[in-house]
Amino acid sequence: MKNRICAALLTLVLCLPLAGCAGGASSGISVSYPAAEPSSGADSGMQAGKAYTVGILQQMEHTSLDEIREAVEAGLARGAAAGGYTVEVVYKNAQGDPTAIRTIAEQFAAQGVDVIVPIATGAAQGAAAAAQDVPIVFSAVADPVAAGLVDAFDRTTGNITGVSNGIDVAKIFALADELTPGIGTYGFVYNEGEVNSQSIIEKAKAFLDARGLAYEEVTVASSGEVQQAARGVVAKGVDALFIPNDNTVASALPVLAQEAIAAGLPVYPTADSMVRDGGLATVGINYTVLGGQTADMVCRVLEGTPIADIPVELVNESSVVVNGDTAAALGVDVSRYVQ
């Protein structure tokens, strides 16, 4: 992936206080990266001394989204070593509140930020509705077409583009067959209110239907319901759990994983971060790569490339990820994937 230089000074304002943010906001922290002389290979479209502001709107806090945000910030920080101009990054977390998402986006637009970076589908939808005159580069939207953000992956006609974390469910089910053969029934736990989850679940159902495999599902509306949902789907007699890129469930994935392990069942999520939180394995997206790819796209916008000339991208790296502790607890051999 081509990395572009887009910042000489990066200031991170972490979760500024916002009315409507559930659970309150953390105190602001400012981190500065010293400017360096622009390298001779710096992009000619960059102008030393110029100042930009990027607003990061994170849907909620959980391992996956935090990893993406940190990677976006790190990508911009790397540019500080040789960029020659200034970017201020303002980060706000909506804590899963749709009203807060819209309010934050409106605030960013009113402040005149140069680019808004919403992380996750709900954040991207809220930003698109509230900030129609500001360039938007989303990150981690599984199906931006179904979410109504773009007409097609190769056609961006509005003010929004970004990087999709679309999932190849066939690869995950193939891995499940390899590690824990004989699965006859999968259990799904997801929030049916998240378009990103619906898209992946529909693909999973189509895949399993075509192979004559069964599935049971329990839906949730909040992270507080995940533990009970996990118990509910386990009680349906499933052989394994499949978890989509669902922000609600991801925020409580350790709890779900504990319930599954206690029942002797593997959990196959769709993100590497969910494996670290207790899932057994996945062919998952590297969210650090996703965040860096998003930062690269933001740089192109700051350089002056029109959104219309930047089609949506799929994250360009995935790999098998396993959790050794979970595997040991379940008695599953994952040695071939452990370095």
Side-chain angles (χ1 to χ4, degrees), residues 142-143 146 169 194-205 244:
D143 192 337
V169 298
E194 293 193 28
V195 174
N196 43 296
S197 296
Q198 290 178 336
S199 175
I200 295 171
I201 289 295
E202 288 170 6
K203 292 177 182 177
K205 288 179 177 179

Side-chain angles (χ1 to χ4, degrees), residues 141-161:
V141 175
D143 192 337
V145 177
L149 300 173
V150 295
D151 295 331
F153 271 70
D154 60 351
R155 186 170 64 257
T156 50
T157 57
N159 66 318
I160 186 167
T161 187

Side-chain angles (χ1 to χ4, degrees), residues 149-226:
L149 300 173
V150 295
D151 295 331
F153 271 70
D154 60 351
R155 186 170 64 257
T156 50
T157 57
N159 66 318
I160 186 167
T161 187
V163 184
S164 169
N165 58 336
I167 301 299
D168 186 343
V169 298
K171 292 181 179 180
I172 297 175
F173 288 124
L175 179 65
D177 287 341
E178 175 192 338
L179 295 180
T180 52
I183 297 172
T185 304
Y186 281 90
F188 303 149
V189 178
Y190 66 100
N191 182 348
E192 60 185 348
E194 293 193 28
V195 174
N196 43 296
S197 296
Q198 290 178 336
S199 175
I200 295 171
I201 289 295
E202 288 170 6
K203 292 177 182 177
K205 288 179 177 179
F207 181 91
L208 297 177
D209 285 341
R211 286 153 182 79
L213 297 175
Y215 46 82
E216 299 284 350
E217 59 187 310
V218 177
T219 60
V220 299
S222 69
S223 58
E225 299 175 6
V226 170

Side-chain angles (χ1 to χ4, degrees), residues 122-309:
Q125 290 175 312
Q132 299 177 9
D133 297 321
V134 182
I136 296 171
V137 177
F138 61 73
S139 191
V141 175
D143 192 337
V145 177
L149 300 173
V150 295
D151 295 331
F153 271 70
D154 60 351
R155 186 170 64 257
T156 50
T157 57
N159 66 318
I160 186 167
T161 187
V163 184
S164 169
N165 58 336
I167 301 299
D168 186 343
V169 298
K171 292 181 179 180
I172 297 175
F173 288 124
L175 179 65
D177 287 341
E178 175 192 338
L179 295 180
T180 52
I183 297 172
T185 304
Y186 281 90
F188 303 149
V189 178
Y190 66 100
N191 182 348
E192 60 185 348
E194 293 193 28
V195 174
N196 43 296
S197 296
Q198 290 178 336
S199 175
I200 295 171
I201 289 295
E202 288 170 6
K203 292 177 182 177
K205 288 179 177 179
F207 181 91
L208 297 177
D209 285 341
R211 286 153 182 79
L213 297 175
Y215 46 82
E216 299 284 350
E217 59 187 310
V218 177
T219 60
V220 299
S222 69
S223 58
E225 299 175 6
V226 170
Q227 184 174 40
Q228 189 59 40
R231 291 173 178 171
V233 78
V234 166
K236 292 177 181 289
V238 302
D239 303 307
L241 276 65
F242 172 85
I243 307 299
N245 275 358
D246 187 289
N247 295 293
T248 305
V249 178
S251 64
L253 202 286
V255 173
L256 179 144
Q258 288 173 3
E259 293 293 334
I261 291 171
L265 301 180
V267 176
Y268 291 98
T270 53
D272 61 346
S273 55
M274 293 187 196
V275 172
R276 291 197 296 274
D277 281 345
L280 174 61
T282 191
V283 183
I285 288 169
N286 185 313
Y287 276 176
T288 296
V289 171
L290 173 59
Q293 196 169 335
T294 305
D296 178 69
M297 190 175 283
V298 172
C299 292
R300 292 164 63 189
V301 174
L302 293 178
E303 292 169 20
T305 304
I307 291 287
D309 294 338

